[in-house]
Amino acid sequence: MSQVFGNGRHLSVGSTAPPLTKGKLRLYSMRFCPYAQRVHLVLDAKKIPYDVVNVNLSAKPEWLFDKHPLGKVPAIEFEDGTVLYESLVLCEYLDSISTTRPLASSDPLQRAKDKLVIERFSQFIVLFYKMYQDINALNSDDVLQSLEEFEIELTKRDSPYFSGTRPGMVDFMIWPWCERADMLTIMAGDRFSLPEKRFPKLLQWKKFMKEDEAVKCSYLDVSDHVKFLKSRLAGTNDYDMLVASL
Amino acid sequence: MSQVFGNGRHLSVGSTAPPLTKGKLRLYSMRFCPYAQRVHLVLDAKKIPYDVVNVNLSAKPEWLFDKHPLGKVPAIEFEDGTVLYESLVLCEYLDSISTTRPLASSDPLQRAKDKLVIERFSQFIVLFYKMYQDINALNSDDVLQSLEEFEIELTKRDSPYFSGTRPGMVDFMIWPWCERADMLTIMAGDRFSLPEKRFPKLLQWKKFMKEDEAVKCSYLDVSDHVKFLKSRLAGTNDYDMLVASL
């Protein structure tokens, strides 16, 4: 459903923002950003037509600050020039404007509970980002423990996905970091991999998620995620490493 | 609308959670917590019957962790034992279950925009909390600048409140820190007070807000906020300073 400008190349300082495309909303993204991936997942799941402008976050285009006051991605620009940002705000709004494949529960209490599950996942996100700062400070017990309540939650919900028989809002909001979770094993050792006996539901969920058509649209192999991380750690930030030469 | 247990005394480690009251939801709170105040404001504005159990956050009751996985306030327990937490999730949910005085916009786009305004206010919240850590590191230019976009937003909205002619979700979600804003002047000097010429709308809004009946329910004078802050800085954490002796 998406059209990517410039073969996916990340626009930098000094660039010009491409004009909007009629009949499509515009997602400002970065190919490896998990927050932006949340929005890709929702757009792809709901088959909302959009185009993508990727942005170099180490040398931000000046115009990015017209879209987001802090010059961040994801941000979405609508045909009338309205801009929204913040991944959770965006995903909730996008879910509300299209009836195709509703992602959030229609029950307000369940929706509130689901938001708390997403909020609780930030524990794992915080640990995950230690990989970028001080990987040696990362404790595998902490990492596994931060995921344990998701194993319990899936067991309690007694369904293949957090949202039932098909991935919904919770599934998509936590997926980007789960897609990247094996980076921890590659970067810091096997003690970070989830033991089958302790996480049977979560591992099965992950296998199922990879088969979802929306997940497939933005999915990257862990080797690509690691390659990009290494370029970040080396200070080269190879945003365009997947851009095929024209 | 609220009934406060134990004359408002904050329950500590070793205490027992009071039994729920029939026909009321239970708010776990702390008298000086701005996040908890958000929930008080919504409950009071919507006239939802509730009782309050205040909690000593420096010596948390063991049972608090059954209500909130991290033992935080605010948390709400409903009559059926369901517990929800996180101030924004709570306020949104409470608004959805009662049609009395709807606080969030019924338009999804406006609701998304309002969420971004609330999110942007976190800039000020971050600066505000520097008062607790290193008040000398606090720069008045940064503080005033973080509020400037709210002056602009009010001007753009051309209404006395962010939500129109009556306080709504944005107004109540940012109010607790605005009620406390003069603490900065008292603690760090006049350069932190908002100049009338630069912030006419915001100062007028603050005056109007103090007249709202829901705001009046939880309002505390800045001198009380400062007194509590000083007890925190001194390590005595005088949670019960406003509890009248029985």
Side-chain angles (χ1 to χ4, degrees):
Chain A
M1 295 299 286
S2 68
Q3 176 197 339
V4 188
F5 275 97
N7 214 16
R9 200 171 297 281
H10 291 69
L11 298 186
S12 292
V13 61
S15 66
T16 309
L20 296 174
T21 311
K22 213 176 152 47
K24 286 186 177 172
L25 55 82
R26 153 80 48 84
L27 172 61
Y28 297 98
S29 184
M30 190 282 271
R31 187 64 188 92
F32 304 94
C33 172
Y35 293 99
Q37 193 183 358
R38 281 177 163 172
V39 186
H40 281 276
L41 288 165
V42 168
L43 289 166
D44 290 331
K46 298 181 72 74
K47 300 192 187 306
I48 296 173
Y50 69 108
D51 63 34
V52 181
V53 171
N54 281 328
V55 174
N56 180 335
L57 296 176
S58 311
K60 294 177 181 178
E62 295 78 356
W63 52 258
L64 186 60
F65 293 86
D66 300 333
K67 315 299 179 189
H68 187 303
L70 302 175
K72 288 185 175 181
V73 297
I76 278 188
E77 188 168 3
F78 295 89
E79 274 193 277
D80 67 354
T82 300
V83 180
L84 293 178
Y85 48 90
E86 283 291 320
S87 63
L88 295 178
V89 173
L90 278 170
C91 291
E92 190 176 17
Y93 176 65
L94 293 169
D95 193 36
S96 78
I97 57 167
S98 149
T99 52
T100 307
R101 196 176 170 181
L103 299 177
S105 169
S106 57
D107 170 44
L109 179 61
Q110 188 57 48
R111 220 161 46 227
K113 287 180 176 174
D114 286 350
K115 283 183 182 182
L116 295 184
V117 173
I118 295 167
E119 174 57 34
R120 296 285 297 153
F121 191 75
S122 58
Q123 280 185 102
F124 177 73
I125 297 179
V126 167
L127 292 171
F128 183 84
Y129 283 112
K130 285 199 178 165
M131 225 181 358
Y132 294 76
Q133 291 140 7
D134 182 5
I135 199 159
N136 297 319
L138 201 54
N139 182 304
S140 59
D141 287 343
D142 293 345
V143 170
L144 299 192
Q145 208 184 320
S146 75
L147 291 174
E148 200 150 60
E149 68 185 82
F150 294 88
E151 179 69 22
I152 293 166
E153 188 68 34
L154 263 181
T155 308
K156 226 165 53 186
R157 294 187 179 213
D158 196 23
S159 56
Y161 302 99
F162 288 92
S163 299
T165 53
R166 215 175 167 193
M169 200 55 100
V170 175
D171 302 278
F172 288 134
M173 293 307 98
I174 70 172
W175 173 252
W177 293 270
C178 297
E179 179 179 305
R180 290 159 178 77
D182 289 339
M183 292 170 75
L184 287 164
T185 313
I186 295 173
M187 297 297 291
D190 278 346
R191 66 190 185 284
F192 287 93
S193 72
L194 302 193
E196 175 71 38
K197 276 203 173 159
R198 190 170 163 194
F199 296 98
K201 299 273 182 197
L202 207 54
L203 288 166
Q204 193 188 40
W205 169 82
K206 195 173 169 184
K207 226 166 91 184
F208 288 155
M209 282 296 284
K210 286 185 191 172
E211 297 306 315
D212 180 84
E213 53 182 8
V215 168
K216 282 182 182 173
C217 293
S218 55
Y219 184 81
L220 286 182
D221 191 79
V222 67
S223 59
D224 283 326
H225 287 301
V226 165
K227 198 173 158 198
F228 179 68
L229 170 63
K230 287 186 172 168
S231 84
R232 275 194 59 168
L233 295 174
T236 52
N237 298 298
D238 195 0
Y239 294 108
D240 290 333
M241 60 173 249
L242 297 177
V243 177
S245 38
L246 291 168
Chain B
M1 295 300 284
S2 69
Q3 176 197 338
V4 187
F5 276 99
N7 214 16
R9 200 170 297 281
H10 292 68
L11 298 186
S12 292
V13 62
S15 65
T16 310
L20 296 175
T21 311
K22 214 175 148 48
K24 286 187 177 173
L25 54 82
R26 154 80 46 83
L27 173 60
Y28 298 99
S29 185
M30 190 280 272
R31 187 64 188 91
F32 304 94
C33 171
Y35 293 99
Q37 193 183 357
R38 280 177 164 173
V39 186
H40 282 276
L41 289 164
V42 168
L43 289 166
D44 291 331
K46 298 180 74 72
K47 299 190 188 303
I48 296 173
Y50 69 108
D51 65 32
V52 181
V53 171
N54 281 328
V55 175
N56 180 336
L57 296 177
S58 311
K60 294 178 182 178
E62 295 78 355
W63 51 259
L64 186 60
F65 293 87
D66 299 334
K67 315 300 179 190
H68 187 303
L70 302 175
K72 289 184 172 181
V73 298
I76 278 189
E77 188 168 3
F78 296 89
E79 274 194 277
D80 67 353
T82 300
V83 180
L84 292 178
Y85 46 91
E86 283 290 321
S87 63
L88 295 177
V89 173
L90 278 170
C91 292
E92 190 177 17
Y93 175 64
L94 293 169
D95 193 37
S96 77
I97 57 168
S98 150
T99 51
T100 307
R101 194 175 172 183
L103 299 176
S105 168
S106 57
D107 170 44
L109 179 62
Q110 189 56 49
R111 221 160 46 228
K113 286 180 177 175
D114 286 350
K115 284 183 182 184
L116 295 184
V117 173
I118 295 167
E119 173 58 33
R120 295 285 297 152
F121 190 74
S122 58
Q123 279 184 103
F124 176 73
I125 297 179
V126 168
L127 292 171
F128 182 86
Y129 283 114
K130 284 198 180 166
M131 228 183 352
Y132 294 76
Q133 292 140 9
D134 183 5
I135 199 159
N136 297 319
L138 201 54
N139 183 304
S140 59
D141 288 345
D142 293 346
V143 170
L144 299 192
Q145 208 183 320
S146 75
L147 291 174
E148 199 149 60
E149 69 184 83
F150 295 87
E151 179 68 23
I152 294 166
E153 188 69 33
L154 264 180
T155 309
K156 228 165 52 186
R157 293 187 179 212
D158 195 22
S159 56
Y161 303 99
F162 288 93
S163 299
T165 53
R166 216 176 165 191
M169 200 55 101
V170 174
D171 303 277
F172 288 133
M173 294 306 99
I174 71 173
W175 173 253
W177 293 269
C178 297
E179 179 178 305
R180 291 158 178 77
D182 288 340
M183 293 170 75
L184 288 165
T185 313
I186 295 172
M187 298 297 291
D190 277 347
R191 65 190 186 284
F192 286 93
S193 73
L194 303 193
E196 175 70 39
K197 276 204 174 158
R198 189 169 163 194
F199 295 98
K201 300 272 181 197
L202 208 53
L203 288 166
Q204 193 189 40
W205 169 82
K206 196 173 167 184
K207 226 167 89 184
F208 288 156
M209 281 296 283
K210 285 185 193 173
E211 298 306 315
D212 181 84
E213 52 182 9
V215 168
K216 282 181 181 173
C217 293
S218 56
Y219 185 81
L220 286 182
D221 191 79
V222 68
S223 59
D224 284 326
H225 286 302
V226 165
K227 197 173 159 198
F228 179 68
L229 169 64
K230 286 186 173 169
S231 84
R232 275 193 61 165
L233 295 175
T236 52
N237 297 298
D238 195 1
Y239 293 108
D240 290 333
M241 60 174 247
L242 297 178
V243 177
S245 37
L246 289 170

